Amino acid sequence: MELELEPLRLPSDKERPIVIAGPCSAETEEQVMSTARNLAAKGCHIFRAGIWKPRTKPGGFEGNGEMALPWMKQVKEETGMLIATEVATPEHVDAALKYDMDILWIGARTSANPFAVQALADALQGVDIPVLVKNPVNPDLELWIGALLRLNQAGLKRLGVIHRGFSSYEKKIYRNAPMWQIPIELRRRIPGLPIICDPSHIGGRRDLIAPLCQQAMDLGFDGLIVESHCSPEKAWSDAAQQVTPDILDYILSLLVVRDHNSTTEELRFLRTQIDEIDNSLMGLLAKRFRICREIGTFKKEHNMTILQAGRYNEILEKRGAQASLCGMDANFAAQVFELIHEESVRQQLEIVNK
């Protein structure tokens, strides 16, 4: 089934992509207005803030709810910026529309739940408003497309998506693994669908925002949604991944927005696949060394030597044979696994000698 799409018609500058910026949460009227005025002064056209903020665990700040919506309307009236927020229930939709919200987005936890998405689609039936759908928390492209189809069947045609990365259990560089191949495949499947990158949630750290913004531009994404706060270190939620309006403006000023070219697009796609495989390799190595440390603990408890020569030779022989079957040089595989074994021994020695 194909999507029937119309342009989002969101403002942007010739030098910059679509930029949606603002704090993770609308905390106070002063915080909202101060951040909005600073962003407007830097040329930002779309202001975002979380009104309802359900957290992973109860006890944290979960948003001010409808009390904060007049602050958003004041931003719109004073600065002329469009205003955007996340909705997760039909009640959220009704309240946001009552206060003239210009753009709505559906969060990752909600987009993973077809029941919740259908309830939102029913609430938005007959409303002409841009709706952006974040990728589900798990890397499920069909679930992502399914959410778009439900909204489209309700008559919503100004649709786009937000790529915010995917959750995983393993410790990693990014807060949410980017898995760039998934939004790239989404673009292949639905060529006219705007894709906006969320570097704040992918990186989870403000120092990763700039390189992630550039990577999104190199991949031909249409825009960015970035968390920006007048005092990010004092933010009531997600403080580590927010930047000041000044820093955001500096990041955007350094962006290289490239012309679309099929040759370079293909090369970027291939390099993205390499990056994704490298990230997977690092994750697998981390998992392997974790098991090695468990083996080290077992050896310590049972008074066994660290080096098991027979096992080491078995690994080298097996991996060398596998390398040959996979079109790689057996000596190359041996060198790789010698280094891996060396690091495994080092980590086990640390455990045994504690």
Side-chain angles (χ1 to χ4, degrees):
M1 186 180 298
E2 293 185 1
L3 293 178
E4 186 178 350
L5 299 175
E6 293 180 358
L8 284 177
R9 301 194 294 275
L10 300 183
S12 62
D13 297 326
K14 290 182 180 179
E15 301 80 14
R16 293 179 177 178
I18 297 166
V19 177
I20 304 171
C24 172
S25 303
E27 301 163 0
T28 67
E29 182 178 357
E30 180 182 0
Q31 169 250 7
V32 166
M33 295 310 301
S34 175
T35 305
R37 290 178 186 123
N38 276 283
L39 287 168
K42 300 297 181 183
C44 184
H45 301 295
I46 309 172
F47 183 78
R48 56 139 291 157
I51 304 301
W52 300 276
K53 297 295 296 182
R55 315 308 297 165
T56 302
K57 295 179 180 178
F61 175 65
E62 296 197 335
N64 284 303
E66 193 166 345
M67 181 182 80
L69 286 171
W71 310 339
M72 297 291 283
K73 191 169 184 180
Q74 185 180 346
V75 167
K76 183 176 181 176
E77 291 171 350
E78 182 177 318
T79 69
M81 287 193 288
L82 301 183
I83 51 175
T85 198
E86 178 181 344
V87 291
T89 69
E91 292 76 19
H92 293 171
V93 170
D94 292 342
L97 295 178
K98 184 171 69 175
Y99 284 90
D100 297 326
M101 199 65 60
D102 296 295
I103 303 162
L104 304 177
W105 78 81
I106 297 174
R109 292 179 177 89
T110 308
S111 65
N113 183 341
F115 292 107
V117 174
Q118 188 60 56
L120 292 173
D122 293 342
L124 286 163
Q125 186 91 36
V127 179
D128 181 21
I129 188 172
V131 178
L132 308 175
V133 182
K134 285 198 172 187
N135 61 260
V137 289
N138 51 314
D140 188 334
L141 179 57
E142 299 307 322
L143 195 59
W144 202 359
I145 293 173
L148 291 164
L149 286 169
R150 290 179 185 278
L151 294 166
N152 202 219
Q153 288 175 0
L156 293 156
K157 298 180 182 179
R158 297 166 66 194
L159 296 173
V161 296
I162 298 174
H163 173 231
R164 50 81 78 187
F166 302 90
S167 300
S168 66
Y169 178 74
E170 297 294 331
K171 186 177 181 181
K172 53 199 178 303
I173 298 170
Y174 300 113
R175 176 179 176 180
N176 293 298
M179 298 188 182
W180 297 104
Q181 77 274 17
I182 293 178
I184 288 171
E185 175 62 14
L186 180 63
R187 167 148 288 170
R188 189 190 70 79
R189 298 265 294 272
I190 312 174
L193 183 70
I195 303 180
I196 292 171
C197 181
D198 181 349
S200 304
H201 279 90
I202 292 176
R205 296 180 357 219
R206 59 181 60 93
D207 61 301
L208 294 175
I209 289 176
L212 285 166
C213 285
Q214 186 58 62
Q215 192 162 3
M217 294 300 97
D218 291 344
L219 291 169
F221 281 26
D222 301 280
L224 303 163
I225 180 167
V226 187
E227 291 188 351
S228 181
H229 192 295
C230 54
S231 301
E233 67 284 352
K234 298 178 182 178
W236 295 1
S237 59
D238 287 346
Q241 66 190 41
Q242 302 192 61
V243 294
T244 64
D246 284 341
I247 293 297
L248 176 59
D249 184 60
Y250 178 68
I251 290 171
L252 296 175
S253 72
L254 297 178
L255 275 186
V256 178
V257 182
R258 308 180 195 282
D259 293 332
H260 289 274
N261 181 286
S262 60
T263 303
T264 55
E265 283 294 324
E266 289 174 13
L267 182 59
R268 282 199 288 272
F269 175 67
L270 293 170
R271 286 174 174 169
T272 296
Q273 291 184 75
I274 290 290
D275 288 341
E276 197 58 48
I277 292 168
D278 286 347
N279 287 336
S280 298
L281 283 173
M282 293 301 294
L284 289 171
L285 283 172
K287 187 181 295 185
R288 190 186 196 280
F289 288 131
R290 188 187 72 233
I291 296 171
C292 285
R293 291 192 293 274
E294 291 177 7
I295 292 173
T297 301
F298 180 89
K299 289 176 178 177
K300 180 178 182 179
E301 291 171 350
H302 293 81
N303 199 29
M304 296 172 63
T305 60
I306 292 298
L307 184 60
Q308 304 285 319
R311 170 63 176 160
Y312 180 40
N313 289 331
E314 179 188 350
I315 289 174
L316 291 183
E317 289 175 6
K318 282 185 176 179
R319 302 305 173 250
Q322 287 177 324
S324 297
L325 291 172
C326 294
M328 291 181 285
D329 183 73
N331 290 328
F332 161 75
Q335 290 174 359
V336 169
F337 279 93
E338 282 172 8
L339 290 171
I340 291 173
H341 183 262
E342 183 180 326
E343 175 63 13
S344 299
V345 169
R346 185 193 69 77
Q347 293 195 21
Q348 290 186 18
L349 282 171
E350 282 187 356
I351 291 170
V352 169
N353 293 321
K354 277 184 180 178

